């Protein structure tokens, strides 16, 4: 019988999910902020 | 008629606000991506198991049945955010060939579910008893993967087709963009509009 992961494992899984979701958010927001990231305009 | 409906929807106060907000639209788009990642991951694992390409040491019924509920949560998130994005730019999407292709593929996914759900996805336990996955189940899994990969590709294409010139002339302009909110001290760097569609 498979048991659920212990508390520490769940915490690590939650952090991993949050980090990957943040990576997606970051990728999308880069596209919306793109003009300000052009080094030639600084 | 459909175009008039699209115009009416995107002109409502709610969608005008979403479209004009520098934070809301990219957040909705990001949540759409999170939903797709969640949902797509479940679809991928289910279909790969049916094809015998992943998790082969787990019973088919375990994989298919246990991923069903989280798969639905992912689909609900992706679909809800997708509808919100559609409402924001309904007129633009009306003209977009990639959007039409995506909707066509979604209809084909519904047809796929009608055909194969009772024959394959609800019969996973019988595959375990038989000790092999039948050809019809592998066909269903392969078609599912092709359809969902096609939908993902069409979704990427939606953001890269320019709408007909001037169709947004009558729409309210964005009030505050993300870039303007984050870098208010450098107005020279701010373009007229930094909001773009990248579904």
């Amino acid at each position: 019988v498979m048991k659920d992961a212990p508390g520490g494992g769940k915490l690590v899984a939650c952090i991993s999910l949050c980090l990957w979701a943040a990576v997606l958010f970051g990728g999308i927001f880069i596209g919306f902020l793109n003009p300000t990231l052009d080094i030639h305009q600084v | 008629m459909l175009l008039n409906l699209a115009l009416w929807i995107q002109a409502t106060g709610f969608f005008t606000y979403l479209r004009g907000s520098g934070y809301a639209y990219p957040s909705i788009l990001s949540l759409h991506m999170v939903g797709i990642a969640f949902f797509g991951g479940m679809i991928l694992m289910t279909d790969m198991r049916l094809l015998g390409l992943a998790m082969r040491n787990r019973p088919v019924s375990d994989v298919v049945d246990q991923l069903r509920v989280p798969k639905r949560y992912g689909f609900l998130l992706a679909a809800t955010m997708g509808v919100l994005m559609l409402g924001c730019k309904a007129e633009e999407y009306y003209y977009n060939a990639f959007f039409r292709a995506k909707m066509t593929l979604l209809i084909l996914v519904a047809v796929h579910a009608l055909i194969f759900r009772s024959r394959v996805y609800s019969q996973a336990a019988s595959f375990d008893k038989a000790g092999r996955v039948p050809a019809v189940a592998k066909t269903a899994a392969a078609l599912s993967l092709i359809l969902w990969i096609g939908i993902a590709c069409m979704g990427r294409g939606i953001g890269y087709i320019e709408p007909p010139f001037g169709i947004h002339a009558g729409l309210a302009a964005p009030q505050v963009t993300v870039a303007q909110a984050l870098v208010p001290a450098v107005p020279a760097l701010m373009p007229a509009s930094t909001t773009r569609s990248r579904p």
Side-chain angles (χ1 to χ4, degrees):
Chain A
V1 177
M2 298 280 286
K3 289 184 177 177
D4 284 347
K10 285 181 180 175
L11 179 65
V12 169
C14 282
I15 291 171
S16 169
L17 279 176
C18 289
L19 284 173
W20 282 112
V23 168
L24 284 175
F25 269 76
I28 295 295
F29 274 79
I30 282 172
F32 281 78
L33 289 168
N34 194 31
T36 65
L37 298 177
D38 186 350
I39 191 70
H40 300 298
Q41 292 186 36
V42 175
Chain B
M1 181 188 163
L2 207 55
L3 181 58
N4 285 337
L5 180 65
L7 286 167
W8 178 80
I9 288 171
Q10 74 174 15
T12 56
F14 176 65
F15 286 117
T16 302
Y17 165 75
L18 287 184
R19 188 172 51 248
S21 165
Y23 293 105
Y25 190 80
S27 296
I28 289 169
L29 183 50
S30 301
L31 285 172
H32 186 60
M33 291 293 137
V34 170
I36 287 172
F38 200 74
F39 177 60
M42 306 290 169
I43 292 273
L44 185 67
M45 292 320 297
T46 302
D47 290 335
M48 294 277 275
R49 177 64 189 93
L50 284 171
L51 288 169
L53 299 174
M55 302 177 80
R56 297 183 64 169
N57 60 342
R58 303 296 307 163
V60 178
S61 56
D62 260 12
V63 178
V64 173
D65 295 341
Q66 292 187 34
L67 292 184
R68 186 168 288 140
V69 173
K71 196 193 295 179
R72 285 176 184 166
Y73 286 132
F75 180 75
L76 190 66
L77 179 63
T80 306
M81 296 304 131
V83 167
L84 290 178
M85 284 162 53
L86 169 62
C88 287
K89 298 183 176 179
E91 186 188 11
E92 185 177 323
Y93 287 173
Y94 174 84
Y95 289 109
N96 194 304
F98 280 105
F99 177 76
R100 293 182 182 195
K102 184 175 179 179
M103 291 303 108
T104 306
L105 288 172
L106 279 170
I107 291 169
L108 290 178
V109 162
V111 173
H112 175 279
L114 280 174
I115 294 172
F116 293 113
R117 190 173 177 185
S118 58
R119 292 183 192 176
V120 174
Y121 296 97
S122 300
Q123 304 293 329
S126 67
F127 305 156
D128 293 327
K129 284 179 189 168
R132 57 181 287 277
V133 178
V136 65
K138 291 186 177 179
T139 306
L143 284 174
S144 167
L145 279 179
I146 291 168
L147 285 171
W148 284 111
I149 288 170
I151 287 168
C153 292
M154 294 304 110
R156 294 305 303 156
I158 287 172
Y160 294 95
I161 279 197
E162 291 296 324
F165 180 73
I167 68 165
H168 296 308
L171 299 179
Q175 293 161 355
V176 180
T177 66
V178 175
Q180 285 164 339
L182 293 178
V183 199
V186 197
L189 297 180
M190 299 298 109
S193 170
T194 56
T195 57
R196 279 177 289 170
S197 172
R198 290 277 178 85

